[in-house]
Amino acid sequence: MTHPDDALSPHHDALPPHQDAATVRPLTRAWVSRHLEAGERIVGTVALHGGITAEMRRLTIGGRDGGTRDLVLRTFVDVEQAEDWLNREAGTLTLLTGTGVRAPGLVAADPTAAQCEYPSLLMTHLPGSPVIADAGLEKRVPLLAGQLVAIHALRPAERPGKYVTLTTPDTVVTPQGADATAWAAAIDMIRSPAPPYEGRFLHRDFQPGNVLFDAPSPSPEAPRITGVIDWVQTSWGPADLDVAHCSTSLALLHGPAWGLRFAEAYEKAGGSLAATTDERRYWLVRDALAASEEVQEVSQPWREAGRTELTPRTVEKRLDTYVTTLLDTLR
């Protein structure tokens, strides 16, 4: 992701690997080796793609006994926010250890590239993969909602930084052929100050691409979440913001109706949203408008994952329908 208003950045084993991008740079490889156990060494690397900003690699680590384990290496190349994001992720992965939220374990971090070619973070590898297919969505959505409720229930001794939204009325990109009146009304909505809120611990990029499910599931009728990844933008802010972000992704991946259904699932799972309809709509609209800025970037990983029908134009049309539906439904 390029900023916290974007819609998707799947990582880990989400998508087919780019083998030619797998090579670990020399200084980074030496840094990784210093953080391995005695007798271990890197015996294989696979580049993972799907993210917009970071390079992601799965490293296979061989031990003296002939066994192997996997680690994941995140590297930011020429990204202005790299130090802040990696510090956030390192702190969050440490915080989540021992909680009910399963996340990668921190192995090492070099946020300032003091030892690596570029800012990097090394973490444990979780089993499972993101699932973005339409099939089985009815059963996954309640699990996604319940997982987000668990994240919002965390009360760290030290709060992360306040949430950031970068989308402004001037940066919104109205899709070609969109309902101009509806979009103008939506843009006017985010000219207003953000509604008051009770702060919560936010993932800030919670969406199907960053939630791992057991794959293949032992029972297709009973999918199971195996972990949540990509914690670089952990923040403190309104629960509605995380809910809105996942709602936008579901609307673009599976159709606008699913964007509306996620908020219902979140409340059914025990989550609390803003008190008034207008306040809830503000956050939903704000995140939907943010998605307008990078339709190409967020839709490409979906196509690479097999959703070839999700062309930028198709995603734009779904976004237009979703925005107009938000305005018409939440009145």
Side-chain angles (χ1 to χ4, degrees):
M1 290 181 65
T2 55
H3 65 70
D5 282 330
D6 294 340
L8 178 73
S9 71
H11 295 304
H12 276 54
D13 290 341
L15 308 172
H18 287 313
Q19 295 292 345
D20 58 347
T23 304
V24 179
R25 298 175 180 88
L27 292 179
T28 303
R29 190 180 186 92
W31 173 76
V32 169
S33 297
R34 288 195 292 272
H35 292 281
L36 300 179
E37 297 176 5
E40 287 189 324
R41 60 190 180 89
I42 301 173
V43 297
T45 63
V46 174
L48 310 172
H49 73 94
I52 297 174
T53 308
E55 294 179 357
M56 304 294 295
R57 295 176 176 86
R58 187 176 74 244
L59 311 181
T60 300
I61 310 300
R64 287 177 174 174
D65 61 358
T68 62
R69 64 185 178 114
D70 288 334
L71 298 176
V72 173
L73 175 67
R74 182 197 298 280
T75 300
F76 284 116
V77 178
D78 299 330
V79 176
E80 183 179 352
Q81 304 96 325
E83 181 177 355
D84 174 52
W85 285 357
L86 291 183
N87 277 324
R88 286 196 190 201
E89 184 160 44
T92 300
L93 296 185
T94 300
L95 164 72
L96 292 173
T97 302
T99 69
V101 177
R102 189 173 184 190
L106 177 67
V107 177
D110 183 14
T112 62
Q115 301 177 63
C116 302
E117 284 87 352
Y118 298 99
S120 301
L121 183 142
L122 186 66
M123 57 190 138
T124 60
H125 176 271
L126 294 178
S129 299
V131 181
I132 62 171
D134 288 335
L137 183 61
E138 188 83 34
K139 296 186 180 297
R140 295 196 306 274
V141 164
L143 298 180
L144 291 170
Q147 181 65 78
L148 189 55
V149 169
I151 292 171
H152 291 167
L154 295 172
R155 295 293 181 270
E158 183 176 347
R159 294 179 181 178
K162 182 182 176 182
Y163 75 93
V164 173
T165 58
L166 300 182
T167 296
T168 71
D170 294 331
T171 60
V172 174
V173 180
T174 302
Q176 180 182 359
D179 185 329
T181 300
W183 277 75
I187 291 170
D188 280 342
M189 194 175 299
I190 67 169
R191 296 183 194 277
S192 303
Y197 63 87
E198 182 178 354
R200 291 284 186 269
F201 184 88
L202 305 182
H203 181 281
R204 201 58 187 94
D205 188 20
F206 186 88
Q207 38 80 17
N210 284 331
V211 180
L212 307 179
F213 285 86
D214 48 358
S217 172
S219 170
E221 297 302 312
R224 182 176 63 92
I225 290 176
T226 59
V228 181
I229 58 176
D230 200 354
W231 296 88
V232 299
Q233 293 165 5
T234 304
S235 309
W236 190 261
D240 286 79
L241 193 53
D242 264 356
V243 172
H245 193 60
C246 192
S247 295
T248 300
S249 292
L250 290 170
L252 301 186
L253 274 167
H254 308 293
W258 285 102
L260 297 174
R261 291 179 65 173
F262 185 70
E264 298 173 2
Y266 177 83
E267 287 189 294
K268 188 174 182 179
S272 297
L273 295 172
T276 72
T277 299
D278 284 346
E279 290 172 345
R280 296 183 183 196
R281 180 169 55 184
Y282 173 89
W283 297 112
L284 290 167
V285 168
R286 168 170 278 286
D287 194 87
L289 295 183
S292 74
E293 299 175 31
E294 295 182 339
V295 168
Q296 174 62 48
E297 287 83 350
V298 301
S299 61
Q300 181 176 345
W302 295 338
R303 294 193 300 278
E304 292 173 343
R307 297 293 305 275
T308 55
E309 80 280 12
L310 294 179
T311 65
R313 186 64 188 133
T314 297
V315 173
E316 282 183 338
K317 289 180 179 178
R318 285 190 175 183
L319 180 60
D320 179 34
T321 302
Y322 181 52
V323 168
T324 56
T325 300
L326 288 176
L327 297 180
D328 292 339
T329 304
L330 302 177
R331 291 191 183 278

